[in-house]
Coordinates of all heavy atoms in Angstrom, one line a residue:
V31 N 102.2 104.5 110.6 CA 103.4 103.9 111.1 C 103.0 102.4 111.4 O 102.0 102.2 112.1 CB 104.0 104.6 112.3 CG1 105.2 103.8 112.8 CG2 104.3 106.0 112.0
W32 N 103.7 101.5 110.9 CA 103.4 100.0 111.1 C 103.2 99.7 112.6 O 102.2 99.0 112.9 CB 104.5 99.1 110.5 CG 104.3 97.7 111.0 CD1 105.2 97.1 111.8 CD2 103.3 96.9 110.7 NE1 104.7 95.8 112.0 CE2 103.5 95.7 111.4 CE3 102.1 96.9 109.9 CZ2 102.7 94.6 111.3 CZ3 101.3 95.9 109.9 CH2 101.5 94.7 110.6
L33 N 104.1 100.0 113.5 CA 104.0 99.6 114.9 C 102.7 100.1 115.5 O 102.1 99.5 116.4 CB 105.2 99.9 115.6 CG 106.5 99.1 115.3 CD1 107.7 99.6 116.0 CD2 106.2 97.6 115.4
V34 N 102.3 101.3 115.1 CA 101.0 101.9 115.7 C 99.9 101.1 115.2 O 99.0 100.7 115.9 CB 100.9 103.4 115.3 CG1 99.6 103.9 115.8 CG2 102.1 104.2 115.9
L35 N 99.9 100.8 113.9 CA 98.8 100.0 113.3 C 98.7 98.6 113.9 O 97.6 98.2 114.3 CB 99.0 99.8 111.8 CG 98.1 98.8 111.0 CD1 96.6 99.2 111.1 CD2 98.5 98.7 109.6
W36 N 99.9 98.0 114.1 CA 99.9 96.6 114.7 C 99.4 96.6 116.1 O 98.7 95.7 116.6 CB 101.2 96.0 114.5 CG 101.2 94.6 114.9 CD1 102.0 94.0 115.9 CD2 100.4 93.5 114.4 NE1 101.7 92.6 116.0 CE2 100.7 92.4 115.1 CE3 99.4 93.5 113.5 CZ2 100.0 91.1 114.9 CZ3 98.7 92.3 113.2 CH2 99.1 91.1 113.9
A37 N 99.8 97.6 116.9 CA 99.3 97.7 118.3 C 97.8 97.9 118.3 O 97.1 97.2 119.1 CB 100.0 98.9 119.0
H38 N 97.3 98.7 117.4 CA 95.8 98.8 117.4 C 95.1 97.5 116.9 O 94.1 97.1 117.5 CB 95.5 99.9 116.4 CG 94.0 100.2 116.1 ND1 93.2 100.8 117.0 CD2 93.2 99.8 115.1 CE1 92.0 100.8 116.6 NE2 92.0 100.2 115.4
A39 N 95.7 96.8 116.0 CA 95.2 95.6 115.5 C 95.2 94.5 116.6 O 94.2 93.8 116.8 CB 95.9 95.1 114.2
L40 N 96.3 94.4 117.3 CA 96.3 93.4 118.4 C 95.3 93.7 119.4 O 94.6 92.8 119.9 CB 97.7 93.5 119.1 CG 98.9 92.8 118.4 CD1 100.2 93.0 119.1 CD2 98.6 91.3 118.2
A41 N 95.0 95.0 119.8 CA 94.0 95.3 120.7 C 92.6 95.0 120.2 O 91.7 94.8 121.0 CB 94.1 96.8 121.0
N42 N 92.5 94.8 118.9 CA 91.2 94.5 118.3 C 91.1 93.0 117.9 O 90.2 92.7 117.1 CB 90.9 95.4 117.1 CG 90.5 96.8 117.6 OD1 89.6 97.0 118.3 ND2 91.3 97.8 117.2
G43 N 92.0 92.2 118.4 CA 91.9 90.7 118.2 C 92.6 90.1 117.0 O 92.5 89.0 116.8
W44 N 93.4 90.9 116.3 CA 94.2 90.4 115.2 C 95.4 89.6 115.8 O 95.8 89.8 116.9 CB 94.8 91.5 114.3 CG 93.8 92.1 113.4 CD1 92.7 92.8 113.7 CD2 93.8 91.9 112.0 NE1 92.0 93.2 112.6 CE2 92.6 92.6 111.5 CE3 94.6 91.2 111.1 CZ2 92.3 92.6 110.2 CZ3 94.2 91.3 109.7 CH2 93.1 92.0 109.3
G45 N 95.9 88.6 115.0 CA 97.0 87.8 115.5 C 98.0 87.7 114.4 O 97.8 87.9 113.2
G46 N 99.3 87.4 114.8 CA 100.3 87.1 113.8 C 101.6 87.8 114.2 O 101.8 88.2 115.4
R47 N 102.6 87.8 113.3 CA 103.9 88.4 113.5 C 103.8 89.9 113.6 O 102.9 90.6 113.1 CB 104.8 88.1 112.4 CG 105.1 86.6 112.2 CD 106.0 86.2 111.1 NE 107.2 87.1 111.2 CZ 108.0 87.2 110.2 NH1 107.8 86.6 109.0 NH2 109.1 87.9 110.3
D48 N 104.8 90.5 114.3 CA 104.8 91.9 114.5 C 105.6 92.6 113.4 O 106.1 93.7 113.5 CB 105.4 92.3 115.8 CG 106.9 91.9 116.0 OD1 107.4 91.2 115.1 OD2 107.5 92.3 116.9
R49 N 105.6 92.0 112.2 CA 106.2 92.5 111.0 C 105.2 92.8 109.9 O 104.2 92.1 109.8 CB 107.3 91.6 110.4 CG 108.3 91.2 111.4 CD 109.4 92.3 111.6 NE 110.5 91.8 112.4 CZ 110.8 92.4 113.5 NH1 110.1 93.4 114.0 NH2 111.8 91.9 114.2
A50 N 105.4 93.8 109.1 CA 104.4 94.1 108.1 C 104.2 93.1 107.0 O 103.3 93.0 106.3 CB 104.8 95.5 107.4
I51 N 105.2 92.1 106.9 CA 105.1 91.1 105.9 C 104.3 89.9 106.3 O 104.1 89.0 105.6 CB 106.5 90.6 105.5 CG1 107.3 90.1 106.7 CG2 107.2 91.7 104.8 CD1 108.6 89.4 106.3
G52 N 103.8 89.9 107.5 CA 102.8 88.8 107.9 C 103.5 87.5 108.3 O 104.7 87.5 108.5
P53 N 102.7 86.5 108.4 CA 101.3 86.4 108.2 C 100.5 87.1 109.3 O 100.9 87.1 110.4 CB 101.0 84.9 108.1 CG 102.0 84.3 109.0 CD 103.3 85.1 108.8
H54 N 99.3 87.5 109.0 CA 98.4 88.2 109.9 C 97.0 87.5 109.8 O 96.6 87.1 108.7 CB 98.3 89.7 109.6 CG 99.6 90.3 109.7 ND1 100.3 90.9 108.6 CD2 100.4 90.5 110.8 CE1 101.4 91.4 109.0 NE2 101.6 91.2 110.3
S55 N 96.3 87.5 110.9 CA 94.9 86.9 110.9 C 94.0 87.9 111.5 O 94.3 88.5 112.6 CB 94.9 85.6 111.7 OG 95.8 84.7 111.1
C56 N 92.8 88.1 110.9 CA 91.8 89.0 111.5 C 91.2 88.3 112.8 O 91.5 87.1 113.0 CB 90.7 89.2 110.5 SG 89.7 87.7 110.1
P57 N 90.4 89.0 113.5 CA 89.9 88.4 114.7 C 89.1 87.1 114.5 O 89.2 86.2 115.3 CB 89.0 89.5 115.3 CG 89.6 90.8 114.8 CD 90.1 90.4 113.4

Side-chain angles (χ1 to χ4, degrees):
V31 177
W32 165 250
L33 290 177
V34 175
L35 170 63
W36 188 238
H38 177 78
L40 281 176
N42 287 302
W44 282 71
R47 295 179 52 194
D48 64 350
R49 304 281 187 244
I51 58 171
H54 302 111
S55 301
C56 70

